[in-house]
Amino acid sequence: MSCKRCNGTNFQRDDATGNSFCCGCGTLQEYDNYEAQLGGVRGPQGTYIRVGTTGTGSVLAYREKKIFDAGNLIDDIAERLQLGERSEEIKRMIGKITDGEFGKGEWFSLLIGACCYALVRKERRGGGVLTMDEIVGVVGCDLHQLGSMCKRVVEYLGLELGEFDLVGLFVKTASGSPRLSGVDGKKKERVMKQGGF
């Protein structure tokens, strides 16, 4: 055997890798420590390759990463919808629907939005109102898709949704309206009272 770089024949074995290197130029000699697998699967093991270890843990790592990423997405969407304190309840709902597998992709964001809507309607949180339009703006989906997903979530979980708070919706819309931003405070309050009535 001669060095592939300088054609020298004086070699030493590296203790750490087990590979030979040329004493003349220091070039590492590749593949000189290969041990053939003789005797089938139960035969001796090679230096770097172990029979049956390829892919060990890859399925678990993928599942754990998917669940971790899903949890982050739920937290993000819940926070943007001002439901950050309710994200654990949303995770429980989604976990029940997906049998703890969660998910990824556009359909999963849609499912998160539907669960947020169902949670707010079910609890009628402090008179607060969350419209489907707000969810569509945060999730970035189609309104009809969201409505269909909400219906499926409510049916699957067997939820009883409270009535929609029209007065709360009016107050929220009017107070955030750019048209009323320049209106005097007393006049704005009067508009709110009349609209609520």
Side-chain angles (χ1 to χ4, degrees):
M1 183 167 114
S2 62
C3 177
K4 60 184 175 185
R5 185 170 185 201
C6 71
N7 289 328
T9 57
N10 189 14
F11 299 102
Q12 283 188 350
R13 190 157 304 276
D14 181 24
D15 294 333
T17 65
N19 290 323
S20 297
F21 62 92
C22 178
C23 292
C25 66
T27 302
L28 191 65
Q29 305 302 306
E30 296 179 19
Y31 309 116
D32 72 329
N33 65 346
Y34 174 74
E35 296 176 23
Q37 288 286 331
L38 303 173
V41 174
R42 303 256 184 257
Q45 294 182 338
T47 304
Y48 296 110
I49 299 172
R50 300 284 184 257
V51 174
T53 60
T54 304
T56 300
S58 62
V59 172
L60 291 176
Y62 171 78
R63 183 177 183 275
E64 289 170 358
K65 182 173 179 352
K66 180 179 71 167
I67 291 172
F68 177 77
D69 290 344
N72 287 341
L73 184 61
I74 292 168
D75 290 339
D76 178 54
I77 290 175
E79 193 65 41
R80 288 192 287 161
L81 292 171
Q82 298 174 352
L83 297 171
E85 74 281 356
R86 305 300 295 149
S87 65
E88 290 305 316
E89 177 64 25
I90 296 165
K91 288 176 187 175
R92 278 192 289 279
M93 291 169 73
I94 293 172
K96 187 174 181 180
I97 292 168
T98 64
D99 292 328
E101 290 296 320
F102 292 84
K104 47 191 335 187
E106 289 179 32
W107 73 269
F108 189 67
S109 297
L110 193 64
L111 177 62
I112 296 169
C115 287
C116 289
Y117 182 78
L119 181 67
V120 170
R121 284 285 306 275
K122 180 182 90 168
E123 295 181 353
R124 292 199 52 192
R125 258 182 357 110
V129 176
L130 180 64
T131 65
M132 286 191 179
D133 275 339
E134 291 173 292
I135 296 170
V136 165
V138 169
V139 173
C141 63
D142 181 65
L143 184 62
H144 298 287
Q145 289 176 320
L146 180 62
S148 176
M149 183 66 84
C150 285
K151 181 180 178 197
R152 292 171 64 191
V153 164
V154 169
E155 287 174 357
Y156 186 84
L157 296 175
L159 301 176
E160 296 277 333
L161 300 186
E163 290 185 23
F164 196 80
D165 184 8
L166 291 175
V167 174
L169 177 61
F170 172 76
V171 169
K172 182 177 183 177
T173 305
S175 61
S177 173
R179 289 186 170 186
L180 297 176
S181 62
V183 176
D184 178 48
K186 287 186 178 189
K187 207 176 226 184
K188 192 173 186 178
E189 185 179 331
R190 204 168 110 206
V191 167
M192 299 279 209
K193 285 182 180 177
Q194 287 177 350
F197 176 73

